[in-house]
mmCIF file of all heavy atoms in Angstrom:
data_model
loop_
_atom_site.group_PDB
_atom_site.id
_atom_site.type_symbol
_atom_site.label_atom_id
_atom_site.label_comp_id
_atom_site.label_asym_id
_atom_site.label_seq_id
_atom_site.Cartn_x
_atom_site.Cartn_y
_atom_site.Cartn_z
ATOM 1 N N LEU F 117 -25.469 -6.540 15.794
ATOM 2 C CA LEU F 117 -26.043 -5.203 15.644
ATOM 3 C C LEU F 117 -27.335 -5.221 14.830
ATOM 4 O O LEU F 117 -28.294 -4.494 15.146
ATOM 5 C CB LEU F 117 -25.018 -4.256 15.017
ATOM 6 C CG LEU F 117 -23.811 -3.919 15.892
ATOM 7 C CD1 LEU F 117 -22.776 -3.126 15.096
ATOM 8 C CD2 LEU F 117 -24.227 -3.155 17.132
ATOM 9 N N GLU F 118 -27.391 -6.050 13.800
ATOM 10 C CA GLU F 118 -28.626 -6.156 13.008
ATOM 11 C C GLU F 118 -29.761 -6.740 13.842
ATOM 12 O O GLU F 118 -30.910 -6.289 13.738
ATOM 13 C CB GLU F 118 -28.377 -6.993 11.753
ATOM 14 C CG GLU F 118 -27.578 -6.253 10.689
ATOM 15 C CD GLU F 118 -27.287 -7.093 9.455
ATOM 16 O OE1 GLU F 118 -27.681 -8.277 9.418
ATOM 17 O OE2 GLU F 118 -26.657 -6.563 8.531
ATOM 18 N N ALA F 119 -29.441 -7.736 14.675
ATOM 19 C CA ALA F 119 -30.461 -8.310 15.559
ATOM 20 C C ALA F 119 -30.952 -7.249 16.549
ATOM 21 O O ALA F 119 -32.160 -7.150 16.828
ATOM 22 C CB ALA F 119 -29.896 -9.519 16.301
ATOM 23 N N LYS F 120 -30.045 -6.425 17.064
ATOM 24 C CA LYS F 120 -30.422 -5.367 17.994
ATOM 25 C C LYS F 120 -31.304 -4.334 17.299
ATOM 26 O O LYS F 120 -32.276 -3.830 17.889
ATOM 27 C CB LYS F 120 -29.164 -4.703 18.550
ATOM 28 C CG LYS F 120 -29.422 -3.732 19.663
ATOM 29 C CD LYS F 120 -28.119 -3.243 20.276
ATOM 30 C CE LYS F 120 -28.379 -2.325 21.455
ATOM 31 N NZ LYS F 120 -27.124 -1.887 22.087
ATOM 32 N N ILE F 121 -30.994 -4.029 16.043
ATOM 33 C CA ILE F 121 -31.820 -3.092 15.267
ATOM 34 C C ILE F 121 -33.239 -3.626 15.128
ATOM 35 O O ILE F 121 -34.220 -2.885 15.297
ATOM 36 C CB ILE F 121 -31.187 -2.820 13.880
ATOM 37 C CG1 ILE F 121 -29.939 -1.957 14.020
ATOM 38 C CG2 ILE F 121 -32.180 -2.152 12.935
ATOM 39 C CD1 ILE F 121 -29.128 -1.819 12.748
ATOM 40 N N LYS F 122 -33.362 -4.916 14.807
ATOM 41 C CA LYS F 122 -34.696 -5.517 14.667
ATOM 42 C C LYS F 122 -35.468 -5.438 15.977
ATOM 43 O O LYS F 122 -36.654 -5.083 15.999
ATOM 44 C CB LYS F 122 -34.580 -6.973 14.213
ATOM 45 C CG LYS F 122 -34.252 -7.148 12.757
ATOM 46 C CD LYS F 122 -34.229 -8.610 12.368
ATOM 47 C CE LYS F 122 -33.864 -8.771 10.916
ATOM 48 N NZ LYS F 122 -33.828 -10.191 10.498
ATOM 49 N N LEU F 123 -34.800 -5.764 17.077
ATOM 50 C CA LEU F 123 -35.447 -5.734 18.388
ATOM 51 C C LEU F 123 -35.898 -4.318 18.744
ATOM 52 O O LEU F 123 -37.049 -4.102 19.173
ATOM 53 C CB LEU F 123 -34.484 -6.268 19.460
ATOM 54 C CG LEU F 123 -35.002 -6.269 20.881
ATOM 55 C CD1 LEU F 123 -36.135 -7.294 21.024
ATOM 56 C CD2 LEU F 123 -33.884 -6.598 21.856
ATOM 57 N N LEU F 124 -35.029 -3.338 18.531
ATOM 58 C CA LEU F 124 -35.384 -1.956 18.840
ATOM 59 C C LEU F 124 -36.481 -1.438 17.915
ATOM 60 O O LEU F 124 -37.334 -0.646 18.335
ATOM 61 C CB LEU F 124 -34.137 -1.067 18.764
ATOM 62 C CG LEU F 124 -33.093 -1.298 19.860
ATOM 63 C CD1 LEU F 124 -31.834 -0.477 19.581
ATOM 64 C CD2 LEU F 124 -33.650 -0.971 21.226
ATOM 65 N N SER F 125 -36.484 -1.880 16.667
ATOM 66 C CA SER F 125 -37.543 -1.474 15.732
ATOM 67 C C SER F 125 -38.898 -2.022 16.187
ATOM 68 O O SER F 125 -39.914 -1.304 16.132
ATOM 69 C CB SER F 125 -37.231 -1.956 14.323
ATOM 70 O OG SER F 125 -36.072 -1.323 13.833
ATOM 71 N N LYS F 126 -38.904 -3.279 16.641
ATOM 72 C CA LYS F 126 -40.159 -3.869 17.156
ATOM 73 C C LYS F 126 -40.628 -3.119 18.397
ATOM 74 O O LYS F 126 -41.813 -2.808 18.543
ATOM 75 C CB LYS F 126 -39.960 -5.348 17.480
ATOM 76 C CG LYS F 126 -39.901 -6.242 16.276
ATOM 77 C CD LYS F 126 -39.739 -7.695 16.687
ATOM 78 C CE LYS F 126 -39.608 -8.598 15.483
ATOM 79 N NZ LYS F 126 -39.427 -10.004 15.863
ATOM 80 N N GLU F 127 -39.686 -2.803 19.285
ATOM 81 C CA GLU F 127 -40.039 -2.081 20.507
ATOM 82 C C GLU F 127 -40.600 -0.701 20.161
ATOM 83 O O GLU F 127 -41.598 -0.256 20.739
ATOM 84 C CB GLU F 127 -38.806 -1.942 21.406
ATOM 85 C CG GLU F 127 -39.078 -1.322 22.749
ATOM 86 C CD GLU F 127 -37.840 -1.268 23.626
ATOM 87 O OE1 GLU F 127 -36.878 -1.983 23.373
ATOM 88 O OE2 GLU F 127 -37.853 -0.454 24.582
ATOM 89 N N LEU F 128 -39.995 -0.020 19.209
ATOM 90 C CA LEU F 128 -40.483 1.283 18.774
ATOM 91 C C LEU F 128 -41.892 1.166 18.204
ATOM 92 O O LEU F 128 -42.763 2.002 18.494
ATOM 93 C CB LEU F 128 -39.528 1.881 17.735
ATOM 94 C CG LEU F 128 -39.927 3.226 17.148
ATOM 95 C CD1 LEU F 128 -39.951 4.299 18.228
ATOM 96 C CD2 LEU F 128 -38.985 3.622 16.026
ATOM 97 N N SER F 129 -42.124 0.140 17.405
ATOM 98 C CA SER F 129 -43.443 -0.061 16.807
ATOM 99 C C SER F 129 -44.501 -0.285 17.890
ATOM 100 O O SER F 129 -45.602 0.298 17.831
ATOM 101 C CB SER F 129 -43.392 -1.250 15.851
ATOM 102 O OG SER F 129 -44.649 -1.499 15.309
ATOM 103 N N VAL F 130 -44.194 -1.100 18.901
ATOM 104 C CA VAL F 130 -45.138 -1.362 19.993
ATOM 105 C C VAL F 130 -45.419 -0.077 20.762
ATOM 106 O O VAL F 130 -46.584 0.235 21.084
ATOM 107 C CB VAL F 130 -44.586 -2.468 20.934
ATOM 108 C CG1 VAL F 130 -45.379 -2.553 22.223
ATOM 109 C CG2 VAL F 130 -44.588 -3.803 20.220
ATOM 110 N N LEU F 131 -44.372 0.695 21.054
ATOM 111 C CA LEU F 131 -44.557 1.936 21.792
ATOM 112 C C LEU F 131 -45.374 2.949 20.993
ATOM 113 O O LEU F 131 -46.210 3.671 21.545
ATOM 114 C CB LEU F 131 -43.205 2.523 22.187
ATOM 115 C CG LEU F 131 -42.437 1.737 23.249
ATOM 116 C CD1 LEU F 131 -41.042 2.318 23.443
ATOM 117 C CD2 LEU F 131 -43.190 1.719 24.572
#
Side-chain angles (χ1 to χ4, degrees):
L117 292 172
E118 286 178 359
K120 188 173 183 178
I121 288 171
K122 284 183 181 180
L123 179 68
L124 291 173
S125 295
K126 285 181 183 179
E127 185 177 342
L128 178 64
S129 177
V130 168
L131 291 173

